[in-house]
Amino acid sequence: MDMKVAAAAIVILIVVVAGAYVLMSGQAPSSAGGLPDRIRLGVILPLSTASYASAGQEALRGMKMAVEEINANGGVLGKPVELVIRDTKGDPNTAITGATDLITKEKVPIIIGFYSSTVTYASMNAIKNYKPLVFVLGASSVKVEQLVGMERWFFHMHPWDYHRQGTVIEYFLNHMKEIPKKIFVAYEDGVYGTTSYEYFVNLSRERNAPWEVVGEAFKTGSSDFSSVILKAKQENPDVFYIVGYPGDYPVFFRNAKENDFNPKLIFIVAPEFPNYPKDIGDYVAGVDVWSPYLNTPEAKAFVQKFESKFGRAPEYWAPFGYTAIKMVVKAIEDAKSLDKEKLIGALEKVEIKSPLGTVRFKQTGKTLHQVVDKLFVVQWQGGKVAILYPKEYKTGELIYPVPKWSERG
């Protein structure tokens, strides 16, 4: 083989290997600085299943807003940021396949997302042996916390069961003018709903709450919850507390109205989805992790930008997604690397101002890296949200008891 032929063969080999690397890793060839030409972040969310998709799509809107801002300002370490997205469809097996694909094929430095405790629990159980760097936005069940909460590679945004139920019980006990005597809890029968109900019952007992609790499980995504409504109506509770997913609540409210079920208050989880005034009407109250009505500079700026882009106020999953991307990119900037250990170290120190307030990772309960641990109680009143709790953010008083269906306009 003469020298020209040998040189040509070497060039071809280099091209083939580089191409194979691109195909296997999903990353563009590295630049001289040791970083790929694009910073590719893994995203995994439910984007196409009715009960879950509204939350997943809202989180993705927030993530994309953050990426647009970051890239408009030169990217991170001079590289543009790109999201590599997988749809879980709200299904554990699909989520495991998507997460495994992001780890082994796409080789992204971090996976951001996950929604639903059932899906997240199954996913973490399946991928924990990889020890992937993950920033989980959802999942409130302590079953997830017990599984991976103390792992250094696990970072978590959403409050846990004890944060949420502690807030609900604190409000019912100490901030309502009339403490409820009976509370009927309808809860979805997966990991999220079941552990939420258990926490509500156990914490009520620990705090000597005077109310009677009656519980009934339901299957999320059902098209009719009349059987649960009729059981609740028979119990005649003061408060009807629903622990479900966004797609469930409009069905519950339609069935409550159809069956003329009139508790003094209907209370839900995360009541500020933008379509709720149309779907469920006024007076619904609930516990939430953020409100677009917060009077802070960062929250107001985010809401204004979101409204100009989408024509409505955001629901909390949007600032969750937005803030998560900003925290991860800040950590990459500080680490000056995509190396896992360096990135973990940088994430542990990151602190930024965000629509959620000043955020950082801190240890709480059995979680090494937790962001949000405070919640709000709110109520729809006249097509707007009144913040009822905590005191420092309060903008209104609870309407209780709420008007009967027959008395509403």
Side-chain angles (χ1 to χ4, degrees), residues 34-314:
L35 291 170
D37 292 338
R38 298 164 291 157
I39 304 298
R40 303 171 75 245
L41 306 179
V43 171
I44 189 159
L45 290 165
L47 300 171
S48 60
T49 301
S51 296
Y52 305 118
S54 55
Q57 290 167 355
E58 192 79 338
L60 188 58
R61 290 185 191 100
M63 290 179 174
K64 288 182 175 179
M65 282 177 62
V67 170
E68 286 176 8
E69 288 179 12
I70 292 162
N71 287 342
N73 287 291
V76 56
L77 302 177
K79 313 293 182 185
V81 174
E82 178 181 308
L83 303 181
V84 185
I85 302 166
R86 295 291 182 271
D87 180 6
T88 69
K89 304 182 189 300
D91 172 64
N93 290 329
T94 307
I96 292 168
T97 301
T100 304
D101 183 67
L102 289 170
I103 296 165
T104 61
K105 182 181 177 184
E106 299 292 352
K107 300 185 187 302
V108 294
I110 185 169
I111 303 176
I112 308 162
F114 295 101
Y115 176 84
S116 151
S117 295
T118 299
V119 171
T120 305
Y121 182 79
S123 300
M124 293 301 115
N125 215 10
I127 66 175
K128 63 183 180 183
N129 288 339
Y130 292 108
K131 298 185 182 298
L133 183 48
V134 297
F135 189 174
V136 171
L137 302 190
S140 61
S141 171
V142 293
K143 283 194 70 174
V144 179
E145 182 184 47
Q146 290 162 358
L147 181 68
V148 291
M150 296 306 287
E151 297 286 353
R152 277 198 79 213
W153 49 267
F154 180 80
F155 291 77
H156 189 241
M157 177 76 83
H158 201 285
W160 294 110
D161 285 324
Y162 45 84
H163 296 129
R164 176 185 289 143
Q165 302 313 327
T167 299
V168 173
I169 290 169
E170 167 65 19
Y171 184 75
F172 287 171
L173 264 182
N174 298 316
H175 299 271
M176 287 180 70
K177 292 179 180 176
E178 177 187 327
I179 297 176
K181 295 182 177 63
K182 180 184 280 191
I183 299 173
F184 190 103
V185 184
Y187 57 96
E188 69 93 27
D189 63 359
V191 172
Y192 152 59
T194 303
T195 56
S196 290
Y197 175 66
E198 290 171 354
Y199 255 91
F200 186 78
V201 171
N202 292 334
L203 280 179
S204 293
R205 189 178 301 124
E206 286 177 19
R207 298 188 186 183
N208 296 317
W211 49 68
E212 177 187 355
V213 181
V214 180
E216 181 74 16
F218 65 86
K219 183 73 67 182
T220 187
S222 300
S223 60
D224 192 299
F225 293 119
S226 292
S227 61
V228 181
I229 290 292
L230 290 173
K231 285 183 181 177
K233 186 176 181 179
Q234 193 172 18
E235 291 289 341
N236 191 27
D238 296 306
V239 175
F240 181 53
Y241 178 18
I242 314 169
V243 181
Y245 288 106
D248 299 325
Y249 297 124
V251 181
F252 265 110
F253 276 73
R254 188 186 70 228
N255 293 156
K257 188 175 182 179
E258 290 168 348
N259 289 284
D260 197 32
F261 173 46
N262 290 290
K264 291 180 180 177
L265 185 68
I266 299 182
F267 196 89
I268 67 175
V269 173
E272 295 188 75
F273 273 84
N275 57 334
Y276 279 179
K278 173 175 68 68
D279 290 344
I280 62 180
D282 256 342
Y283 307 115
V284 59
V287 61
D288 219 332
V289 301
W290 181 80
S291 174
Y293 293 88
L294 284 175
N295 188 25
T296 66
E298 292 80 13
K300 290 168 72 174
F302 178 79
V303 171
Q304 186 176 27
K305 189 166 186 175
F306 191 95
E307 286 179 337
S308 67
K309 198 173 183 64
F310 299 105
R312 60 167 176 80

